[in-house]
Amino acid sequence: MTSGKFVVSLDFELMWGMRDKENIATYGENILGVHHVIPKLLEVFDQYNIKATFSTVGFLFFENKADLLSELPSIKPNYTDVNLSPYNGYFDILDENHIADKYHFAPELIRQIQKYPSQEIGTHTYSHYYCLEPGQTTESFYVDLKKAIDIAKKYNIETTSLVFPRNQFNEEYLKLCADLGIQCYRGNERSWIYKAKNGENENLFRRAIRLIDAYINISGHNCYTDQDLKGKFPLDIPSSRFLRPYISKLNFLEKLRLNRIKKGMTHAAKNNLMFHLWWHPHNFGVNQNKNFNFLEKILQHYSDLNKKYNFQSYKMTEMANLLSDEK
């Protein structure tokens, strides 16, 4: 029986995803909050029968700094903007192990995710690699991604899905991904305001439009038919909506933000389409009660759509396998 599909993916990165924009003093509370957020997410997902993909930065797998330093890639990204690379002195601020440093290591959280068979651990590259930034190359990307896959294997994880950091989708790299066993990736919404760009080519206007789009329908529901997603390998499982965190200054718009997501989900459920929701665990790191209350309203709506329209939850790789099996 054909039915709508609900995909959830999370960019699990801790400080590695924010280090070029923030520091521990300005963003550390959000990062430390992840150590409470992920166990709670796992419980809530289990409660509502949600399957999710945790796209995880490879550095998070390490137990300690010494092991990480012993496993640096042979070819490193030579970004024109040196601030983008963690290899330019950033390791100096790391503490000795995952117990002392909750900002950069998370082996215990990864093991917790593994306890839930309905959840998937995918990759967010090894070093939070930026695929569109000047100076990086196909060779350095390949080495980075292979390192990410190899460290996950030490946890008996087969890596088959990828989320490009900062959504910097690079079509030139898809064959390399396929060669390394990646079956699917999260592409961007198919609207000009979400087209992949590097940091230099991003602008405030597009960011402002995307913020408005979180509350008012500008780009559409961004739902996809099975045929939209087929035809290439690895498969593109594109985003429908970023779940923005609670912002106190915009509290009066919360109903609009919720309705924007729920209407997209309903559209997908009624028309047998896919709706893909994503965010970062650190988005929930502060204002946790507000963010989880909001999420539960979304998941309750999923439950209602599941009962009424047979709306089904899928992990990214599970979605790719389903599409590949369809005749």
Side-chain angles (χ1 to χ4, degrees):
M1 178 179 173
T2 303
S3 63
K5 303 165 183 72
F6 184 48
V7 178
V8 171
S9 60
L10 299 107
D11 300 10
F12 181 22
E13 55 192 35
L14 294 186
M15 203 66 205
W16 300 110
M18 298 300 295
R19 46 155 292 280
D20 55 308
K21 291 179 174 289
E22 302 279 358
N23 56 48
I24 288 173
T26 61
Y27 204 72
E29 185 180 0
N30 288 73
I31 300 301
L32 290 181
V34 173
H35 293 270
H36 301 283
V37 166
I38 284 189
K40 191 167 182 179
L41 280 173
L42 291 169
E43 290 177 5
V44 172
F45 288 162
D46 191 53
Q47 177 185 348
Y48 286 94
N49 297 313
I50 296 295
K51 301 173 182 179
T53 298
F54 290 79
S55 300
T56 307
V57 166
F59 287 165
L60 300 185
F61 286 84
F62 287 96
E63 300 273 347
N64 57 65
K65 179 179 178 178
D67 287 348
L68 171 56
L69 294 179
S70 72
E71 291 290 343
L72 299 185
S74 57
I75 303 173
K76 302 175 181 66
N78 188 24
Y79 303 118
T80 302
D81 180 355
V82 295
N83 183 54
L84 296 177
S85 175
Y87 302 108
N88 294 324
Y90 185 76
F91 295 123
D92 294 344
I93 77 164
L94 271 59
D95 220 321
E96 293 306 309
N97 57 49
H98 71 95
I99 297 171
D101 191 337
K102 301 291 187 183
Y103 301 103
H104 300 97
F105 302 113
E108 292 176 340
L109 291 180
I110 291 168
R111 292 189 185 99
Q112 278 189 273
I113 298 169
Q114 286 185 285
K115 291 178 182 178
Y116 290 79
S118 56
Q119 310 306 322
E120 173 184 13
I121 296 177
T123 187
H124 202 35
T125 72
Y126 192 57
S127 63
H128 204 257
Y129 188 102
Y130 301 123
C131 294
L132 292 178
E133 295 296 340
Q136 60 82 36
T137 64
T138 54
E139 291 80 11
S140 58
F141 172 75
Y142 182 88
V143 171
D144 181 281
L145 185 58
K146 188 173 188 308
K147 277 284 187 184
I149 291 168
D150 289 346
I151 188 63
K153 281 180 182 175
K154 293 183 179 181
Y155 284 67
N156 296 314
I157 296 169
E158 181 183 3
T159 305
T160 50
S161 65
L162 165 71
V163 169
F164 290 94
R166 299 274 159 83
N167 295 310
Q168 288 191 10
F169 161 67
N170 191 328
E171 191 163 4
E172 294 178 13
Y173 292 173
L174 292 184
K175 186 181 185 305
L176 299 178
C177 293
D179 290 345
L180 289 170
I182 299 296
Q183 298 177 29
C184 58
Y185 64 94
R186 189 184 72 213
N188 300 344
E189 295 93 324
R190 292 168 184 175
S191 164
W192 67 271
I193 63 175
Y194 295 102
K195 183 176 173 60
K197 292 181 181 289
N198 60 33
E200 183 180 358
N201 291 323
E202 190 53 272
N203 60 67
L204 289 174
F205 177 72
R206 282 208 332 156
R207 288 178 184 150
I209 295 295
R210 289 199 296 267
L211 177 61
I212 295 169
D213 192 39
Y215 300 93
I216 300 170
N217 189 342
I218 293 174
S219 67
H221 291 307
N222 297 302
C223 299
Y224 312 93
T225 69
D226 290 358
Q227 291 303 317
D228 286 336
L229 310 180
K230 292 179 180 179
K232 290 185 179 180
F233 189 84
L235 267 71
D236 180 3
I237 314 292
S239 167
S240 301
R241 182 114 327 265
F242 170 51
L243 176 54
R244 291 181 177 271
Y246 172 81
I247 302 172
S248 59
K249 291 180 180 178
L250 298 177
N251 180 52
F252 65 100
L253 295 175
E254 284 294 88
K255 285 186 179 180
L256 286 178
R257 184 166 73 99
L258 180 61
N259 287 336
R260 178 80 169 98
I261 294 169
K262 288 171 67 174
K263 285 180 180 178
M265 292 170 65
T266 301
H267 180 74
K270 285 183 174 180
N271 295 282
N272 298 329
L273 305 174
M274 184 200 77
F275 186 89
H276 188 165
L277 185 70
W278 72 276
W279 69 99
H280 313 86
H282 61 70
N283 294 138
F284 279 26
V286 299
N287 298 312
Q288 290 190 27
N289 288 338
K290 295 281 189 183
N291 284 309
F292 272 100
N293 287 340
F294 191 91
L295 176 62
E296 288 219 41
K297 291 174 183 176
I298 292 171
L299 300 186
Q300 183 57 59
H301 188 60
Y302 162 76
S303 183
D304 294 341
L305 294 173
N306 171 261
K307 291 174 182 143
K308 188 171 183 179
Y309 300 105
N310 196 33
F311 200 39
Q312 296 289 329
S313 175
Y314 290 91
K315 295 171 281 192
M316 283 178 59
T317 298
E318 189 178 29
M319 182 77 189
N321 289 337
L322 177 73
L323 294 172
S324 297
D325 290 342
E326 287 182 357
K327 303 298 181 183

